[in-house]
Amino acid sequence: EKLDIVVVGSCIMDLISYSERQPKPGETIKGSKFMTGFGGKGANQCFMAAKLGAKCLMVSKVGKDDFGNSYIRNYQEHGMSTEYVQQTSEASTAIAAITVSQDGQNCIIIVTGALDLLSESDVLQAESCIKNCKVMLCQLEIDQNVSLFAMKLAKKHGVKTIFNSAPAQCNINPEFFTVCDIFCANETEAEILTGLSVKSLEEGKIAVKALLDQGCNTVILTLGEQGSLFATKDSPTVVHVPITKVKAVDTTGAGDAYLGSLAYYIALMPELPLLEAIKRASAIAGLSVQSPGTQSSFPKREQLPNNLF
Ligand code: RIB
Ligand code: NA
């Protein structure tokens, strides 16, 4: 079977508490609601692309525990293969302790557990599938060496690579800048990676240039309510793509809705100009912040207007 997108990355069980505000250090506050959700940046991006209609494959690892079992079931219920989502008894399924305050902002602690055991040889086992995909997406919730290895393998087979430098991490291997076709960062990640302040559009443009100077082919910088900036090696003038402001209920996973949608457009509508793909991905991410949760808040293709396709 021909696949569109492969994600080598994280499956995480999200444990989400909603409260009026974030607690301060040493403080206990009462929350108003709790829910669990299927999360992890990798899986979120994979599900987003699948919800739009892409044929997606996930390469990941979960524990042989209740969370791991239900994650596997979740893939199966959505008709996705779990051939390369192995269960290990040596570590527990990764979890994310998430608090969402009334303004829709979140704080997240992730404990990566089984994800740390996802190895280069696990990626190699999926090589015959990877080489038949159009796009590979990677992030930084698994061992960065494994992400890098996966993207090099994709490149060897002519598969387009999109790298999302999330969550923010200093000391990433400089090869990340050059191995991917598209390097996508948010403002925090861009600050850490360039050492520059990214507080305004103007500063964002300078950061995009700095990332291009590191050898990136295409850089996309997401700036929350300010939309995105992008530029390419061949066309280095930075373009601003604004968004329409929406009222955020829960911004958790908005970046993943954006990345998954972007991968969808690049894989399935490769003739679409990048500017247009970014506009559409922003619109879909904007819808996701208007309902609670991560994957569960991502819209399906049937719920979206035709002009997005
Ligand atoms: O980007 C959102 C995701 O980050 C959550 O689903 C959580 O699992 C963390 O990894
Ligand atoms: Na959401």
Side-chain angles (χ1 to χ4, degrees), residues 250-252 288-289 291-294 297:
D250 184 354
T251 57
T252 318
S288 80
V289 307
S291 36
T294 48
S297 74

Short mmCIF file of all heavy atoms in Angstrom, two decimals, residues 250-252 288-289 291-294 297, ligand 2:
data_model
loop_
_atom_site.label_atom_id
_atom_site.label_comp_id
_atom_site.label_asym_id
_atom_site.label_seq_id
_atom_site.Cartn_x
_atom_site.Cartn_y
_atom_site.Cartn_z
N ASP A 250 -8.12 26.12 24.42
CA ASP A 250 -7.02 25.24 24.79
C ASP A 250 -6.03 25.20 23.62
O ASP A 250 -6.34 24.66 22.57
CB ASP A 250 -7.57 23.84 25.08
CG ASP A 250 -6.50 22.86 25.57
OD1 ASP A 250 -5.32 23.24 25.59
OD2 ASP A 250 -6.87 21.73 25.93
N THR A 251 -4.87 25.80 23.83
CA THR A 251 -3.89 25.87 22.72
C THR A 251 -3.01 24.62 22.64
O THR A 251 -2.18 24.52 21.73
CB THR A 251 -2.96 27.10 22.89
OG1 THR A 251 -2.32 27.00 24.17
CG2 THR A 251 -3.74 28.40 22.81
N THR A 252 -3.20 23.68 23.57
CA THR A 252 -2.35 22.47 23.55
C THR A 252 -2.48 21.75 22.21
O THR A 252 -3.59 21.44 21.79
CB THR A 252 -2.77 21.49 24.69
OG1 THR A 252 -3.02 22.24 25.86
CG2 THR A 252 -1.69 20.47 24.93
N SER A 288 -8.39 24.29 15.94
CA SER A 288 -8.07 23.33 17.02
C SER A 288 -8.01 24.00 18.39
O SER A 288 -8.30 23.35 19.40
CB SER A 288 -6.76 22.59 16.73
OG SER A 288 -5.65 23.40 17.07
N VAL A 289 -7.64 25.27 18.46
CA VAL A 289 -7.52 25.92 19.78
C VAL A 289 -8.88 26.31 20.34
O VAL A 289 -8.99 26.68 21.50
CB VAL A 289 -6.60 27.18 19.76
CG1 VAL A 289 -5.24 26.85 19.17
CG2 VAL A 289 -7.24 28.35 19.04
N SER A 291 -11.38 24.22 20.75
CA SER A 291 -11.97 23.17 21.58
C SER A 291 -10.88 22.50 22.42
O SER A 291 -9.70 22.51 22.05
CB SER A 291 -12.77 22.16 20.75
OG SER A 291 -12.18 21.94 19.53
N PRO A 292 -11.28 21.91 23.56
CA PRO A 292 -10.30 21.36 24.49
C PRO A 292 -9.63 20.09 23.98
O PRO A 292 -10.18 19.39 23.14
CB PRO A 292 -11.13 21.07 25.74
CG PRO A 292 -12.52 20.94 25.28
CD PRO A 292 -12.66 21.81 24.08
N GLY A 293 -8.43 19.82 24.50
CA GLY A 293 -7.73 18.59 24.17
C GLY A 293 -6.79 18.76 22.98
O GLY A 293 -6.70 19.85 22.40
N THR A 294 -6.11 17.68 22.64
CA THR A 294 -5.15 17.73 21.54
C THR A 294 -5.77 17.04 20.31
O THR A 294 -6.54 17.67 19.60
CB THR A 294 -3.80 17.11 21.96
OG1 THR A 294 -4.03 15.86 22.60
CG2 THR A 294 -3.10 18.02 22.94
N SER A 297 -9.33 17.53 19.51
CA SER A 297 -9.80 18.86 19.07
C SER A 297 -9.47 19.15 17.61
O SER A 297 -9.84 20.19 17.07
CB SER A 297 -9.17 19.95 19.95
OG SER A 297 -7.80 20.14 19.63
NA NA B 2 -7.22 22.13 21.36
#
